[in-house]
Amino acid sequence: MSPEDRGTLTIAPSVVRRVAERAADSTPGAARTAGTLGMGRHGAAADVDGDGPQVRLRVELALRYPAELRSVAAAVRARVADEVERVTGYQVRRVEVVVTGLVAPTGKRVE
């Protein structure tokens, strides 16, 4: 079968967004925050610009406190780009990381 007879593959931007969010959430130092009204947990939120084969991403997420912001942001940037490229085959042109908050460790405090 010739290459032109095989068809095409289209990956929806929502799939690229979800891959980016999962990659960001799995980066050491990233934190999930409590949801609205204390219900649920929320992780990274990503926006995708472009619909392949080249995309630009903006990822908003909270980090664990205390965090070395620059190094964790660099790790998020690298992990998101690598995972999106691996899963989709798209070239990631840019990953913008926006830190929206710091999440303090939970647990009993000694006074």
Coordinates of all heavy atoms in Angstrom, one line a residue:
M1 N 0.8 -1.2 0.0 CA 0.0 0.0 0.0 C 0.9 1.2 0.0 O 1.8 1.3 0.8 CB -0.9 0.0 1.2 CG -1.8 1.1 1.4 SD -2.8 1.1 2.8 CE -4.1 0.0 2.4
S2 N 0.6 2.2 -0.9 CA 1.4 3.4 -1.0 C 1.1 4.3 0.2 O -0.1 4.3 0.7 CB 1.2 4.1 -2.3 OG -0.1 4.6 -2.4
P3 N 2.0 5.2 0.6 CA 1.8 6.1 1.7 C 0.5 7.0 1.5 O -0.2 7.2 2.5 CB 3.0 7.0 1.8 CG 4.1 6.1 1.2 CD 3.4 5.3 0.1
E4 N 0.2 7.4 0.3 CA -0.9 8.3 0.1 C -2.3 7.5 0.3 O -3.3 8.1 0.5 CB -0.9 9.1 -1.2 CG -0.5 8.4 -2.4 CD 1.0 8.1 -2.6 OE1 1.9 8.7 -2.0 OE2 1.3 7.2 -3.4
D5 N -2.2 6.2 0.2 CA -3.4 5.4 0.3 C -3.7 5.0 1.8 O -4.8 4.4 2.1 CB -3.3 4.1 -0.5 CG -3.4 4.4 -2.0 OD1 -3.9 5.4 -2.4 OD2 -2.8 3.6 -2.7
R6 N -2.8 5.3 2.7 CA -2.9 4.9 4.1 C -3.9 5.8 4.9 O -4.3 5.4 6.0 CB -1.6 4.9 4.8 CG -0.7 3.8 4.2 CD 0.6 3.7 5.0 NE 1.5 2.9 4.3 CZ 2.8 3.0 4.4 NH1 3.4 3.9 5.2 NH2 3.6 2.3 3.6
G7 N -4.1 7.0 4.5 CA -5.0 7.9 5.2 C -4.1 8.8 6.1 O -2.9 8.9 6.0
T8 N -4.8 9.6 7.0 CA -4.1 10.5 7.8 C -4.5 10.3 9.3 O -5.5 9.7 9.5 CB -4.5 12.0 7.4 OG1 -5.9 12.1 7.6 CG2 -4.1 12.3 6.0
L9 N -3.8 10.9 10.1 CA -4.1 10.8 11.6 C -4.2 12.2 12.0 O -3.3 13.0 11.8 CB -3.0 10.1 12.3 CG -3.1 10.1 13.9 CD1 -4.3 9.4 14.3 CD2 -1.8 9.6 14.5
T10 N -5.3 12.6 12.7 CA -5.5 13.9 13.3 C -5.6 13.7 14.8 O -6.3 12.9 15.3 CB -6.7 14.6 12.7 OG1 -6.6 14.6 11.3 CG2 -6.9 15.9 13.3
I11 N -4.8 14.5 15.5 CA -4.8 14.4 17.0 C -5.5 15.7 17.4 O -5.0 16.8 17.2 CB -3.4 14.3 17.5 CG1 -2.8 13.0 17.0 CG2 -3.4 14.3 19.1 CD1 -1.3 12.9 17.3
A12 N -6.6 15.6 18.1 CA -7.3 16.8 18.6 C -6.5 17.6 19.6 O -5.7 17.0 20.4 CB -8.6 16.3 19.3
P13 N -6.6 18.9 19.6 CA -5.9 19.7 20.6 C -6.2 19.3 22.0 O -5.3 19.4 22.9 CB -6.4 21.1 20.3 CG -6.7 21.1 18.9 CD -7.3 19.7 18.6
S14 N -7.4 18.8 22.3 CA -7.8 18.4 23.6 C -6.9 17.2 24.1 O -6.6 17.0 25.3 CB -9.2 18.0 23.7 OG -9.5 16.9 22.9
V15 N -6.5 16.3 23.2 CA -5.6 15.2 23.5 C -4.2 15.7 23.8 O -3.6 15.3 24.8 CB -5.5 14.2 22.3 CG1 -4.5 13.1 22.6 CG2 -6.9 13.6 22.1
V16 N -3.7 16.7 23.0 CA -2.4 17.3 23.3 C -2.4 18.0 24.7 O -1.5 17.8 25.5 CB -2.0 18.3 22.2 CG1 -0.7 18.9 22.5 CG2 -2.0 17.6 20.8
R17 N -3.5 18.7 25.0 CA -3.7 19.4 26.2 C -3.6 18.4 27.4 O -2.9 18.6 28.4 CB -5.0 20.1 26.3 CG -5.3 20.8 27.6 CD -6.6 21.5 27.6 NE -7.8 20.7 27.2 CZ -8.3 19.8 28.0 NH1 -7.9 19.6 29.3 NH2 -9.4 19.1 27.6
R18 N -4.3 17.3 27.3 CA -4.3 16.3 28.4 C -3.0 15.6 28.6 O -2.6 15.4 29.7 CB -5.4 15.2 28.0 CG -5.7 14.3 29.2 CD -6.3 15.1 30.4 NE -6.5 14.2 31.5 CZ -6.0 14.5 32.7 NH1 -5.4 15.6 33.0 NH2 -6.2 13.6 33.6
V19 N -2.3 15.3 27.5 CA -0.9 14.8 27.6 C 0.0 15.7 28.4 O 0.7 15.4 29.3 CB -0.4 14.4 26.2 CG1 1.1 14.1 26.3 CG2 -1.1 13.3 25.6
A20 N -0.1 17.0 28.0 CA 0.7 18.1 28.7 C 0.4 18.2 30.1 O 1.3 18.3 31.0 CB 0.5 19.4 28.0
E21 N -0.9 18.1 30.5 CA -1.3 18.3 31.9 C -0.8 17.1 32.7 O -0.3 17.3 33.8 CB -2.8 18.4 32.0 CG -3.4 19.7 31.4 CD -4.9 19.7 31.3 OE1 -5.5 18.7 31.4 OE2 -5.4 20.8 31.1
R22 N -1.0 15.9 32.2 CA -0.5 14.7 32.9 C 1.0 14.7 33.1 O 1.5 14.3 34.1 CB -0.9 13.4 32.2 CG -2.5 13.2 32.3 CD -2.9 12.0 31.6 NE -2.6 10.7 32.3 CZ -3.2 10.2 33.4 NH1 -4.2 10.9 33.9 NH2 -2.8 9.1 33.9
A23 N 1.7 15.2 32.1 CA 3.2 15.2 32.2 C 3.6 16.3 33.2 O 4.5 16.0 34.0 CB 3.8 15.6 30.8
A24 N 2.9 17.4 33.2 CA 3.2 18.5 34.2 C 2.9 17.9 35.6 O 3.7 18.1 36.6 CB 2.4 19.7 33.9
D25 N 1.8 17.3 35.8 CA 1.4 16.8 37.1 C 2.4 15.7 37.7 O 2.5 15.6 38.9 CB 0.0 16.2 37.1 CG -1.1 17.3 37.1 OD1 -0.8 18.4 37.5 OD2 -2.2 16.9 36.7
S26 N 3.0 15.0 36.8 CA 3.9 13.9 37.2 C 5.3 14.4 37.4 O 6.2 13.6 37.8 CB 3.9 12.8 36.1 OG 4.5 13.3 34.9
T27 N 5.6 15.7 37.3 CA 6.9 16.2 37.5 C 7.2 16.4 39.0 O 6.3 17.0 39.7 CB 7.1 17.6 36.8 OG1 6.8 17.5 35.4 CG2 8.5 18.2 37.0
P28 N 8.3 15.9 39.5 CA 8.5 16.2 41.0 C 8.5 17.6 41.3 O 9.1 18.5 40.6 CB 10.0 15.6 41.1 CG 10.1 14.5 40.1 CD 9.3 15.1 38.9
G29 N 7.8 18.0 42.4 CA 7.7 19.4 42.8 C 6.4 20.0 42.4 O 6.0 21.0 43.0
A30 N 5.7 19.4 41.4 CA 4.3 19.9 41.1 C 3.3 19.4 42.1 O 3.5 18.4 42.8 CB 3.9 19.3 39.7
A31 N 2.3 20.3 42.3 CA 1.3 20.0 43.4 C -0.1 20.1 42.8 O -0.4 20.8 41.9 CB 1.5 20.9 44.5
R32 N -1.0 19.2 43.4 CA -2.4 19.3 43.0 C -3.0 20.1 44.2 O -2.7 20.0 45.3 CB -3.0 17.9 42.9 CG -2.4 17.2 41.7 CD -2.9 15.8 41.6 NE -4.3 15.8 41.2 CZ -4.8 15.9 39.9 NH1 -3.9 16.2 39.0 NH2 -6.0 15.9 39.6
T33 N -4.0 21.0 43.8 CA -4.6 21.8 44.8 C -6.1 21.4 45.0 O -6.7 20.7 44.2 CB -4.6 23.3 44.3 OG1 -5.3 23.4 43.1 CG2 -3.2 23.8 44.2
A34 N -6.6 21.8 46.2 CA -8.0 21.4 46.5 C -8.9 22.1 45.5 O -8.7 23.2 45.0 CB -8.4 21.9 47.9
G35 N -10.0 21.4 45.1 CA -10.9 22.0 44.1 C -11.9 23.0 44.8 O -11.8 23.4 45.9
T36 N -12.8 23.6 44.0 CA -13.7 24.5 44.4 C -14.6 24.0 45.6 O -15.0 22.9 45.5 CB -14.6 24.9 43.2 OG1 -13.8 25.3 42.1 CG2 -15.5 26.1 43.6
L37 N -14.8 24.8 46.6 CA -15.6 24.4 47.7 C -15.1 23.1 48.4 O -15.8 22.4 49.0 CB -17.1 24.3 47.3 CG -17.7 25.5 46.8 CD1 -19.1 25.2 46.3 CD2 -17.7 26.6 47.8
G38 N -13.8 22.9 48.3 CA -13.2 21.7 48.9 C -13.5 20.4 48.3 O -13.2 19.4 48.8
M39 N -14.1 20.4 47.1 CA -14.4 19.2 46.4 C -13.5 18.9 45.3 O -13.3 19.8 44.4 CB -15.9 19.3 45.9 CG -16.9 19.5 47.0 SD -18.5 19.7 46.3 CE -18.8 18.1 45.6
G40 N -12.9 17.7 45.3 CA -12.0 17.3 44.2 C -10.6 17.9 44.3 O -10.3 18.6 45.2
R41 N -9.8 17.5 43.4 CA -8.4 17.9 43.3 C -8.1 18.4 41.9 O -8.6 17.8 41.0 CB -7.4 16.8 43.7 CG -7.7 16.1 45.0 CD -7.3 16.9 46.2 NE -5.8 16.9 46.3 CZ -5.1 17.7 47.1 NH1 -5.7 18.6 47.8 NH2 -3.8 17.6 47.1
H42 N -7.3 19.5 41.8 CA -7.0 20.0 40.5 C -5.5 20.1 40.3 O -4.8 20.5 41.2 CB -7.6 21.4 40.3 CG -9.1 21.4 40.4 ND1 -9.9 21.0 39.3 CD2 -10.0 21.7 41.4 CE1 -11.2 21.1 39.6 NE2 -11.3 21.5 40.9
G43 N -5.1 19.7 39.1 CA -3.7 19.7 38.8 C -3.4 20.8 37.8 O -4.1 21.8 37.7
A44 N -2.4 20.5 36.9 CA -2.0 21.5 35.9 C -3.1 21.7 34.9 O -4.0 20.8 34.6 CB -0.8 21.0 35.2
A45 N -3.1 22.9 34.3 CA -4.1 23.3 33.3 C -3.2 23.7 32.1 O -2.3 24.6 32.2 CB -5.0 24.4 33.7
A46 N -3.5 23.2 30.9 CA -2.7 23.5 29.7 C -3.5 24.1 28.6 O -4.7 23.8 28.5 CB -1.9 22.3 29.2
D47 N -3.0 25.0 27.9 CA -3.6 25.6 26.7 C -2.7 25.2 25.5 O -1.4 25.3 25.6 CB -3.7 27.1 26.7 CG -4.8 27.5 27.7 OD1 -5.8 26.9 27.8 OD2 -4.5 28.5 28.4
V48 N -3.3 24.9 24.4 CA -2.5 24.5 23.2 C -2.7 25.5 22.1 O -3.9 25.9 21.8 CB -3.0 23.1 22.7 CG1 -2.2 22.7 21.4 CG2 -2.8 22.0 23.8
D49 N -1.7 26.0 21.5 CA -1.7 26.9 20.3 C -1.1 26.1 19.2 O 0.0 25.7 19.2 CB -1.0 28.2 20.6 CG -1.1 29.2 19.5 OD1 -2.1 29.1 18.8 OD2 -0.2 30.0 19.3
G50 N -1.9 26.0 18.1 CA -1.5 25.2 17.0 C -2.2 23.8 17.0 O -2.6 23.4 18.1
D51 N -2.3 23.2 15.9 CA -3.0 21.9 15.8 C -2.1 20.9 15.1 O -2.6 20.0 14.4 CB -4.4 22.0 15.2 CG -4.4 22.6 13.8 OD1 -3.3 23.0 13.3 OD2 -5.4 22.8 13.2
G52 N -0.9 21.0 15.3 CA 0.1 20.1 14.7 C 0.5 20.4 13.3 O -0.3 21.1 12.6
P53 N 1.6 20.0 12.9 CA 2.6 19.2 13.6 C 3.5 20.0 14.5 O 4.4 19.5 15.1 CB 3.4 18.6 12.4 CG 3.4 19.6 11.3 CD 2.0 20.3 11.5
Q54 N 3.3 21.3 14.6 CA 4.0 22.2 15.6 C 3.0 22.8 16.5 O 2.0 23.4 16.1 CB 4.8 23.2 14.8 CG 5.9 22.6 13.9 CD 6.7 23.7 13.2 OE1 6.5 24.9 13.4 NE2 7.6 23.3 12.4
V55 N 3.3 22.7 17.8 CA 2.4 23.3 18.8 C 3.2 24.2 19.8 O 4.4 23.9 20.0 CB 1.6 22.2 19.6 CG1 0.7 21.5 18.7 CG2 2.6 21.3 20.3
R56 N 2.6 25.1 20.4 CA 3.1 25.9 21.6 C 2.1 25.6 22.7 O 0.9 25.6 22.5 CB 3.1 27.4 21.2 CG 4.2 27.7 20.2 CD 4.2 29.1 19.7 NE 2.9 29.5 19.0 CZ 2.6 29.1 17.8 NH1 3.4 28.3 17.1 NH2 1.4 29.5 17.3
L57 N 2.7 25.5 23.9 CA 1.9 25.2 25.1 C 2.1 26.2 26.2 O 3.2 26.7 26.4 CB 2.3 23.8 25.6 CG 2.2 22.6 24.6 CD1 3.0 21.5 25.1 CD2 0.7 22.3 24.5
R58 N 1.0 26.4 27.0 CA 1.1 27.2 28.2 C 0.5 26.3 29.3 O -0.6 25.8 29.2 CB 0.2 28.5 28.0 CG 0.2 29.3 29.3 CD -0.8 30.5 29.1 NE -1.2 31.1 30.3 CZ -0.6 32.2 30.8 NH1 0.4 32.8 30.1 NH2 -1.0 32.7 31.9
V59 N 1.3 26.1 30.3 CA 1.0 25.2 31.4 C 0.9 26.1 32.7 O 1.9 26.7 33.1 CB 1.9 24.1 31.6 CG1 1.6 23.2 32.7 CG2 2.0 23.3 30.3
E60 N -0.2 26.0 33.4 CA -0.4 26.7 34.7 C -0.5 25.6 35.7 O -1.2 24.6 35.6 CB -1.6 27.5 34.7 CG -1.6 28.7 33.8 CD -2.8 29.6 33.8 OE1 -3.7 29.3 34.7 OE2 -2.9 30.5 33.0
L61 N 0.3 25.8 36.8 CA 0.3 24.8 37.9 C 0.8 25.3 39.2 O 1.4 26.4 39.2 CB 1.1 23.5 37.5 CG 2.6 23.6 37.6 CD1 3.2 22.2 37.6 CD2 3.2 24.4 36.4
A62 N 0.4 24.7 40.3 CA 1.0 25.0 41.6 C 2.1 24.1 41.9 O 2.3 23.0 41.3 CB -0.1 24.8 42.6
L63 N 3.0 24.6 42.7 CA 4.2 23.8 43.1 C 4.2 23.6 44.6 O 3.5 24.3 45.4 CB 5.5 24.6 42.8 CG 5.7 24.9 41.3 CD1 7.0 25.6 41.1 CD2 5.6 23.7 40.4
R64 N 4.9 22.6 45.1 CA 5.0 22.3 46.5 C 5.9 23.3 47.1 O 6.9 23.7 46.5 CB 5.5 20.9 46.7 CG 4.6 19.8 46.3 CD 5.0 18.4 46.9 NE 4.1 17.4 46.4 CZ 4.4 16.6 45.3 NH1 5.5 16.7 44.7 NH2 3.5 15.8 44.9
Y65 N 5.6 23.7 48.3 CA 6.4 24.6 49.1 C 7.2 23.9 50.1 O 6.7 23.0 50.7 CB 5.6 25.7 49.8 CG 6.4 26.6 50.6 CD1 6.9 27.8 50.0 CD2 6.7 26.4 51.9 CE1 7.7 28.7 50.7 CE2 7.4 27.3 52.7 CZ 8.0 28.4 52.0 OH 8.7 29.3 52.7
P66 N 8.5 24.1 50.2 CA 9.3 25.1 49.4 C 9.8 24.4 48.1 O 10.1 23.2 48.1 CB 10.5 25.4 50.4 CG 10.7 24.1 51.2 CD 9.3 23.5 51.3
A67 N 9.8 25.2 47.1 CA 10.3 24.6 45.8 C 11.3 25.6 45.2 O 11.2 26.8 45.4 CB 9.1 24.5 44.8
E68 N 12.3 25.0 44.5 CA 13.2 25.8 43.8 C 12.5 26.1 42.4 O 12.5 25.3 41.6 CB 14.5 25.0 43.6 CG 15.8 25.7 43.1 CD 15.7 27.0 42.5 OE1 15.5 27.1 41.3 OE2 16.0 28.0 43.2
L69 N 11.9 27.3 42.4 CA 11.0 27.6 41.3 C 11.6 27.4 39.9 O 11.0 26.8 39.0 CB 10.4 29.0 41.4 CG 9.6 29.3 42.7 CD1 9.2 30.7 42.8 CD2 8.4 28.3 42.8
R70 N 12.8 28.0 39.7 CA 13.4 27.9 38.3 C 13.7 26.4 37.9 O 13.4 26.1 36.8 CB 14.7 28.7 38.3 CG 14.5 30.2 38.3 CD 15.8 30.9 38.2 NE 15.7 32.3 38.4 CZ 15.4 33.2 37.5 NH1 15.2 32.8 36.3 NH2 15.3 34.5 37.8
S71 N 14.2 25.6 38.9 CA 14.5 24.3 38.5 C 13.3 23.4 38.3 O 13.2 22.6 37.3 CB 15.5 23.6 39.5 OG 14.8 23.5 40.7
V72 N 12.2 23.6 39.1 CA 11.0 22.8 38.9 C 10.3 23.3 37.6 O 9.9 22.4 36.8 CB 10.1 23.0 40.1 CG1 8.8 22.2 39.8 CG2 10.7 22.4 41.3
A73 N 10.3 24.6 37.3 CA 9.7 25.1 36.1 C 10.5 24.5 34.9 O 9.9 24.1 33.9 CB 9.7 26.6 36.0
A74 N 11.8 24.5 34.9 CA 12.6 23.9 33.8 C 12.3 22.4 33.7 O 12.2 21.9 32.5 CB 14.1 24.1 34.1
A75 N 12.1 21.7 34.8 CA 11.8 20.3 34.7 C 10.4 20.1 34.1 O 10.2 19.1 33.3 CB 11.9 19.6 36.1
V76 N 9.4 20.9 34.5 CA 8.1 20.8 33.9 C 8.2 21.1 32.4 O 7.6 20.3 31.6 CB 7.1 21.8 34.6 CG1 5.8 21.9 33.8 CG2 6.9 21.4 36.0
R77 N 8.9 22.1 32.0 CA 9.0 22.4 30.6 C 9.6 21.3 29.8 O 9.1 20.9 28.7 CB 9.9 23.7 30.5 CG 9.9 24.4 29.2 CD 10.7 25.7 29.2 NE 10.2 26.7 30.1 CZ 10.8 27.0 31.3 NH1 12.0 26.6 31.6 NH2 10.2 27.9 32.1
A78 N 10.7 20.7 30.3 CA 11.3 19.6 29.6 C 10.4 18.3 29.5 O 10.3 17.7 28.5 CB 12.6 19.2 30.3
R79 N 9.8 18.0 30.7 CA 8.9 16.8 30.7 C 7.7 16.9 29.8 O 7.4 16.0 29.1 CB 8.5 16.5 32.1 CG 7.6 15.2 32.2 CD 7.4 14.7 33.6 NE 8.6 14.1 34.1 CZ 8.6 13.3 35.1 NH1 7.6 13.1 35.8 NH2 9.8 12.8 35.5
V80 N 7.1 18.1 29.8 CA 5.9 18.3 29.0 C 6.3 18.2 27.5 O 5.7 17.6 26.7 CB 5.3 19.7 29.3 CG1 4.3 20.1 28.2 CG2 4.6 19.6 30.6
A81 N 7.4 18.9 27.1 CA 7.8 18.9 25.7 C 8.2 17.4 25.3 O 7.7 17.0 24.2 CB 9.0 19.8 25.5
D82 N 8.9 16.7 26.1 CA 9.3 15.3 25.7 C 8.1 14.4 25.6 O 8.0 13.7 24.6 CB 10.2 14.7 26.8 CG 11.6 15.4 26.8 OD1 12.0 16.1 25.8 OD2 12.3 15.2 27.8
E83 N 7.1 14.5 26.5 CA 6.0 13.6 26.5 C 5.0 13.9 25.3 O 4.6 13.0 24.7 CB 5.3 13.7 27.9 CG 4.2 12.6 28.0 CD 4.8 11.2 28.1 OE1 6.0 11.0 28.1 OE2 3.9 10.3 28.2
V84 N 4.8 15.2 25.1 CA 3.9 15.6 24.0 C 4.6 15.1 22.7 O 3.9 14.6 21.8 CB 3.6 17.1 24.0 CG1 3.0 17.5 22.7 CG2 2.7 17.4 25.1
E85 N 5.9 15.3 22.5 CA 6.5 14.9 21.3 C 6.5 13.4 21.2 O 6.3 12.8 20.1 CB 8.0 15.4 21.2 CG 8.0 16.9 21.0 CD 9.4 17.5 21.0 OE1 10.4 16.8 21.3 OE2 9.5 18.7 20.6
R86 N 6.7 12.7 22.3 CA 6.8 11.2 22.2 C 5.4 10.6 21.9 O 5.3 9.7 21.0 CB 7.2 10.6 23.6 CG 7.3 9.1 23.6 CD 7.6 8.6 25.0 NE 6.5 8.7 25.9 CZ 5.5 7.8 25.9 NH1 5.4 6.9 25.1 NH2 4.5 8.0 26.8
V87 N 4.3 11.1 22.5 CA 3.0 10.6 22.3 C 2.4 11.0 21.0 O 1.8 10.2 20.3 CB 2.1 11.0 23.5 CG1 0.6 10.6 23.2 CG2 2.6 10.3 24.8
T88 N 2.5 12.2 20.6 CA 1.8 12.8 19.4 C 2.7 12.8 18.2 O 2.2 12.8 17.1 CB 1.3 14.2 19.7 OG1 2.4 15.1 19.8 CG2 0.4 14.2 20.9
G89 N 4.0 12.9 18.3 CA 4.9 13.0 17.2 C 4.9 14.5 16.7 O 5.6 14.8 15.8
Y90 N 4.2 15.4 17.4 CA 4.3 16.8 17.1 C 5.6 17.4 17.7 O 6.1 17.0 18.7 CB 3.1 17.6 17.7 CG 1.8 17.3 17.1 CD1 0.6 17.8 17.7 CD2 1.6 16.5 16.0 CE1 -0.6 17.5 17.1 CE2 0.4 16.3 15.4 CZ -0.7 16.8 16.0 OH -2.0 16.5 15.4
Q91 N 6.0 18.5 17.0 CA 7.2 19.2 17.5 C 6.7 20.3 18.4 O 5.8 21.1 18.1 CB 7.9 19.9 16.3 CG 9.1 20.6 16.8 CD 9.9 21.3 15.6 OE1 9.3 21.5 14.6 NE2 11.1 21.6 15.8
V92 N 7.2 20.4 19.6 CA 6.8 21.4 20.6 C 7.8 22.6 20.4 O 9.0 22.5 20.6 CB 6.9 20.9 22.0 CG1 6.6 22.0 23.0 CG2 5.9 19.7 22.2
R93 N 7.2 23.7 20.0 CA 8.0 24.9 19.7 C 8.3 25.7 21.0 O 9.4 26.3 21.1 CB 7.3 25.8 18.8 CG 6.9 25.2 17.4 CD 8.1 24.8 16.6 NE 8.7 26.1 16.1 CZ 9.8 26.1 15.5 NH1 10.5 25.1 15.2 NH2 10.3 27.3 15.1
R94 N 7.4 25.6 22.0 CA 7.6 26.4 23.2 C 6.7 25.9 24.3 O 5.5 25.5 24.0 CB 7.3 27.9 23.0 CG 7.6 28.7 24.2 CD 7.4 30.2 23.9 NE 5.9 30.4 24.1 CZ 5.3 31.5 23.7 NH1 6.0 32.4 23.0 NH2 4.0 31.7 23.9
V95 N 7.2 25.8 25.5 CA 6.3 25.5 26.7 C 6.5 26.7 27.7 O 7.6 26.9 28.2 CB 6.7 24.2 27.4 CG1 5.9 24.0 28.6 CG2 6.7 23.0 26.4
E96 N 5.4 27.4 27.9 CA 5.5 28.5 28.9 C 4.9 27.9 30.2 O 3.8 27.3 30.2 CB 4.6 29.7 28.4 CG 4.5 30.8 29.3 CD 3.6 31.9 28.8 OE1 3.1 31.9 27.7 OE2 3.3 32.8 29.6
V97 N 5.6 28.1 31.2 CA 5.2 27.6 32.6 C 4.8 28.8 33.4 O 5.6 29.7 33.6 CB 6.3 26.8 33.2 CG1 5.9 26.3 34.6 CG2 6.6 25.5 32.4
V98 N 3.6 28.8 34.0 CA 3.1 29.8 34.8 C 2.8 29.2 36.2 O 2.0 28.3 36.3 CB 1.8 30.5 34.3 CG1 1.3 31.5 35.3 CG2 2.1 31.0 32.9
V99 N 3.5 29.6 37.2 CA 3.3 29.1 38.6 C 2.2 29.9 39.2 O 2.3 31.1 39.4 CB 4.6 29.2 39.4 CG1 4.3 28.7 40.9 CG2 5.7 28.3 38.8
T100 N 1.1 29.2 39.5 CA -0.1 29.9 40.0 C -0.2 29.9 41.5 O -1.1 30.6 42.1 CB -1.4 29.3 39.4 OG1 -1.4 27.9 39.8 CG2 -1.4 29.5 37.9
G101 N 0.6 29.1 42.2 CA 0.6 29.1 43.7 C 1.6 28.1 44.2 O 2.2 27.3 43.5
L102 N 1.7 28.2 45.5 CA 2.6 27.2 46.3 C 1.7 26.5 47.3 O 0.9 27.2 48.0 CB 3.7 28.0 47.0 CG 4.7 28.7 46.0 CD1 5.7 29.5 46.9 CD2 5.5 27.7 45.2
V103 N 1.8 25.2 47.4 CA 1.0 24.4 48.3 C 1.9 24.0 49.4 O 2.9 23.3 49.2 CB 0.4 23.2 47.5 CG1 -0.4 22.4 48.5 CG2 -0.5 23.7 46.4
A104 N 1.5 24.4 50.6 CA 2.3 24.0 51.8 C 2.1 22.6 52.1 O 1.0 22.0 51.8 CB 1.8 24.9 53.0
P105 N 3.0 22.0 52.7 CA 2.9 20.6 53.1 C 1.7 20.4 54.1 O 1.5 21.3 54.9 CB 4.2 20.2 53.8 CG 5.1 21.4 53.7 CD 4.3 22.5 53.2
T106 N 1.0 19.3 54.0 CA -0.1 19.1 54.9 C 0.4 18.1 56.0 O 1.3 17.4 55.8 CB -1.3 18.5 54.2 OG1 -0.9 17.3 53.5 CG2 -1.9 19.4 53.1
G107 N -0.3 18.2 57.1 CA 0.1 17.4 58.2 C 0.0 18.2 59.5 O -0.2 19.4 59.4
K108 N 0.2 17.5 60.5 CA 0.1 18.2 61.8 C 1.3 19.1 62.1 O 2.4 18.7 61.8 CB 0.0 17.1 62.9 CG -1.3 16.3 62.8 CD -1.5 15.3 64.0 CE -2.7 14.6 63.8 NZ -3.0 13.7 64.9
R109 N 0.9 20.2 62.5 CA 2.0 21.2 62.9 C 2.3 21.1 64.4 O 1.3 21.0 65.2 CB 1.6 22.6 62.5 CG 1.4 22.8 61.0 CD 0.9 24.1 60.6 NE 1.4 25.2 61.3 CZ 1.0 26.4 61.1 NH1 0.1 26.7 60.2 NH2 1.6 27.5 61.7
V110 N 3.5 21.1 64.7 CA 3.9 21.1 66.1 C 4.0 22.5 66.6 O 4.6 23.4 66.0 CB 5.2 20.4 66.3 CG1 5.6 20.4 67.8 CG2 5.1 19.0 65.8
E111 N 3.3 22.8 67.7 CA 3.4 24.2 68.3 C 4.0 24.2 69.6 O 4.0 23.3 70.4 CB 2.0 24.8 68.4 CG 1.4 24.9 67.0 CD 0.1 25.7 67.0 OE1 0.0 26.6 67.9 OE2 -0.7 25.5 66.1

